[in-house]
Amino acid sequence: MKYAIITGASRGLGEAVAKRMLEEGISVISVSRTENESLSELAKEKNVPYKHLSCNLSLDKEIQEVFSDIAFSLFQKNPEKIYIINNAGMVEPIETAGNLDQIPVLRNIQVNLIAPILIANIFFKKAQNSDTTILAVNVTSGAGERPIESWSVYCSSKAGLNMFTRTAALEQESLGTGNQIIAFNPGVMDTGMQETIRSAPKASFKDLERFQEYKEKGLLRDAAVVGNALADVILGDSVINGQIYNINELLK
Ligand SMILES: NC(=O)c1ccc[n+]([C@@H]2O[C@H](COP(=O)([O-])OP(=O)(O)OC[C@H]3O[C@@H](n4cnc5c(N)ncnc54)[C@H](OP(=O)(O)O)[C@@H]3O)[C@@H](O)[C@H]2O)c1
């Protein structure tokens, strides 16, 4: 049996990947603060196990509790493979360094960087004494490689996520575990995150008009197209451990 644990499956890219997994007959565990009822309806229709667990990924205590429980119950079933899609993310705070408030900074780094590290750690540890292999996918951004003014926190969190991915991949390789960890840059998508970007005050975001134009000119990709491309990579048999996949390369 194969399982997919998907953070941020309540909407956007996470919802799209969860739907594709259910279509493929892969059991889904969705983790976010709110539940998307359409996933449980699809799971019933396809007769595939599905569960939603509420978790605020900005709180490390909740991460430890929820993901340790998931790992405990999944490994009891001795699954062949567990996919972990660390997709949940937030772009805020959109503000220049010097004008940042402490709480949004901490929350961003917790959700975008610390949560994926803690989750991978829990599952790699649990997999040590099992026949189960893990494929962890960290959803990153082009902003992890390219600075965008007023996104210093988001850019830093995604840059950190890329480096965690590459380092942990080398470790799993050296340990000979068979586990893999990759990152995926989804490009610009028509989701709630882009709405948040477009609603940033002009005074704090120099590139506001560029992002408004992406929407006006129809340049934002549909999350379903991107989710299917990601699913094709992870369900295929040629995943390259440590690779940072880019949607623009995949859809060429
Ligand atoms: N949209 C883009 O153009 C774009 C571009 C590059 C990279 N990305 C990356 O793609 C991923 C998905 O983005 P998206 O556009 O689909 O975003 P989205 O529509 O804003 O959805 C974000 C998801 O993350 C979850 N989330 C946020 N904060 C959370 C928290 N504290 N605890 C638990 N879950 C939380 C949300 O669930 P709840 O609110 O229900 O908790 C939601 O399901 C992100 O990692 C993002 O950085 C997006």
Side-chain angles (χ1 to χ4, degrees):
M1 191 85 188
K2 294 180 179 175
Y3 293 86
I5 302 160
I6 306 172
T7 69
S10 56
R11 56 180 192 269
L13 177 62
E15 175 185 8
V17 178
K19 286 188 166 160
R20 171 71 187 277
M21 291 293 174
L22 291 169
E23 299 276 357
E24 298 284 343
I26 294 170
S27 303
V28 169
I29 298 166
S30 138
V31 183
S32 53
R33 293 165 300 182
T34 55
E35 182 170 9
N36 180 331
E37 296 293 340
S38 72
L39 293 178
S40 66
E41 281 160 24
L42 179 63
K44 270 186 214 135
E45 189 188 312
K46 300 283 168 193
N47 201 20
V48 178
Y50 164 82
K51 197 170 171 178
H52 171 77
L53 293 170
S54 177
C55 178
N56 185 342
L57 294 165
S58 68
L59 304 172
D60 47 314
K61 196 165 166 281
E62 280 195 27
I63 296 170
Q64 286 295 349
E65 281 171 10
V66 170
F67 285 87
S68 298
D69 282 356
I70 298 173
F72 180 78
S73 68
L74 284 194
F75 279 92
Q76 276 186 331
K77 297 176 189 157
N78 202 19
E80 174 193 346
K81 186 134 200 163
I82 300 177
Y83 302 101
I84 302 169
I85 323 282
N86 284 310
N87 159 77
M90 55 186 292
V91 64
E92 314 97 297
I94 300 179
E95 190 49 271
T96 50
N99 293 302
L100 294 165
D101 290 328
Q102 183 179 333
I103 292 188
V105 171
L106 297 177
R107 202 172 282 151
N108 180 300
I109 301 291
Q110 283 277 359
V111 173
N112 291 357
L113 178 59
I114 296 176
I117 293 174
L118 295 179
I119 295 165
N121 186 53
I122 290 168
F123 279 81
F124 285 157
K125 183 178 179 124
K126 197 82 182 163
Q128 280 167 15
N129 303 314
S130 79
D131 299 326
T132 303
T133 54
I134 308 288
L135 170 54
V137 181
N138 294 324
V139 179
T140 183
S141 166
E145 291 168 11
R146 182 172 47 90
I148 297 173
E149 288 180 49
S150 296
W151 289 15
S152 60
V153 183
Y154 183 72
C155 292
S156 304
S157 69
K158 296 296 190 182
L161 189 59
N162 289 347
M163 189 50 84
F164 173 71
T165 305
R166 292 170 56 201
T167 310
L170 285 177
E171 293 165 355
Q172 293 302 306
E173 203 82 51
S174 295
L175 292 165
T177 61
N179 297 326
Q180 293 178 305
I181 180 164
I182 61 172
F184 173 69
N185 169 4
V188 284
M189 298 176 288
D190 200 1
T191 64
M193 185 172 281
Q194 287 290 332
E195 282 174 34
T196 303
I197 295 166
R198 290 194 301 274
S199 61
K202 174 74 191 145
S204 25
F205 188 35
K206 201 175 156 186
D207 289 337
L208 180 64
E209 278 154 21
R210 177 157 63 92
F211 282 86
Q212 286 171 335
E213 269 180 36
Y214 285 160
K215 175 72 175 170
E216 283 157 17
K217 293 185 175 167
L219 298 174
L220 299 174
R221 281 198 186 95
D222 191 312
V225 171
V226 180
N228 276 324
L230 171 57
D232 288 343
V233 169
I234 62 183
L235 300 176
D237 51 13
S238 52
V239 171
I240 302 167
N241 192 29
Q243 179 98 352
I244 299 176
Y245 289 88
N246 186 322
I247 190 68
N248 296 326
E249 299 293 320
L250 296 173
L251 294 182
K252 249 196 316 209

